[in-house]
């Protein structure tokens, strides 16, 4: 069983690449920790390669859509709100992770999104 | 006690921003997991904000330098080698994380590096 984590990032915020990478890092850690505790068999299956794919959404509507679809599919998701120390207003949602979870299930939620 | 994780990324590989963000995500998860197991008090102190800072090195020499300095300071580090499925040759080292660990200790290793 292939297991992956997909992170959808907002492209409308004009984040620099370091900022963007740190936000994706938050989503990866939060999502992985959630799945380690709630679905240890998925977490275990994700070890080794720890496949991660970063995709794009063009605004908050896209984040909301991913979150709803993940919830409908009973997949664990983690949304990142920026602390607002640099570049963004506090509380700005920057990205959302889905999984790590079986790839076919994740693809049902994020499969139509383009790579960042 | 402020605790942070710093991730140093190679800028000489020409990674696209999605690729780069995924590599940083690997470093964040690997580093956090290592510290959760080896220094739970640091991991605990890092919860909440989960401060992450992404900095740059201009080649493998820079990665090696960070790794040696982290080891000399007894700080946990995690180096990411790419699986080579896209953009890079298999085994290419893309980035290295230091911590999460107390910020003053981490700054002793990475404090002279520029933000990405």
């Amino acid at each position: 069983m292939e297991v992956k984590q997909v992170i959808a990032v907002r492209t409308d915020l004009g984040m620099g690449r370091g900022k963007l990478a740190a936000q994706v890092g938050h989503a990866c850690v939060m999502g992985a920790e959630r799945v380690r505790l709630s679905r240890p068999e998925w977490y275990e299956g994700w070890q080794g390669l720890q496949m991660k794919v970063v995709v794009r959404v063009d605004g908050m509507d896209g984040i909301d859509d991913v979150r709803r679809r993940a919830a409908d599919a009973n997949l664990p998701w983690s949304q990142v709100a920026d602390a607002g120390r640099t570049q963004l207003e506090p509380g700005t949602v920057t990205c959302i992770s889905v999984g790590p979870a079986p790839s076919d299930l994740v693809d049902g939620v994020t499969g139509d999104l383009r790579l960042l």
Side-chain angles (χ1 to χ4, degrees), chain A residues 69 79 100:
Chain A
R69 292 166 68 177
Q79 185 170 289

Side-chain angles (χ1 to χ4, degrees), chain A residues 53-109:
Chain A
V53 179
V54 183
V55 299
R56 56 194 298 165
V57 293
D58 62 8
M60 191 60 207
D61 287 352
I63 298 282
D64 290 339
D65 190 48
V66 169
R67 190 182 61 250
R68 282 189 212 104
R69 292 166 68 177
D72 288 347
N74 284 315
L75 290 179
W77 53 270
S78 293
Q79 185 170 289
V80 177
D82 189 59
R85 294 187 163 193
T86 58
Q87 296 187 28
L88 300 174
E89 290 298 307
T92 304
V93 174
T94 56
C95 58
I96 185 171
S97 64
V98 180
S103 292
D104 55 340
L105 301 181
V106 177
D107 285 340
V109 173

Side-chain angles (χ1 to χ4, degrees), chain A residues 10-57:
Chain A
R10 285 177 65 179
T11 55
D12 60 312
L13 297 172
M15 290 184 278
R17 63 181 176 172
K19 177 81 174 182
L20 189 156
Q23 298 293 312
V24 169
H26 287 307
C28 289
V29 172
M30 291 167 60
E33 181 69 1
R34 176 162 299 182
V35 171
R36 184 178 69 82
L37 297 170
S38 65
R39 298 298 299 255
E41 73 283 16
W42 290 353
Y43 185 79
E44 194 58 37
W46 185 61
Q47 294 309 305
L49 197 57
Q50 294 199 353
M51 192 185 302
K52 297 178 186 72
V53 179
V54 183
V55 299
R56 56 194 298 165
V57 293

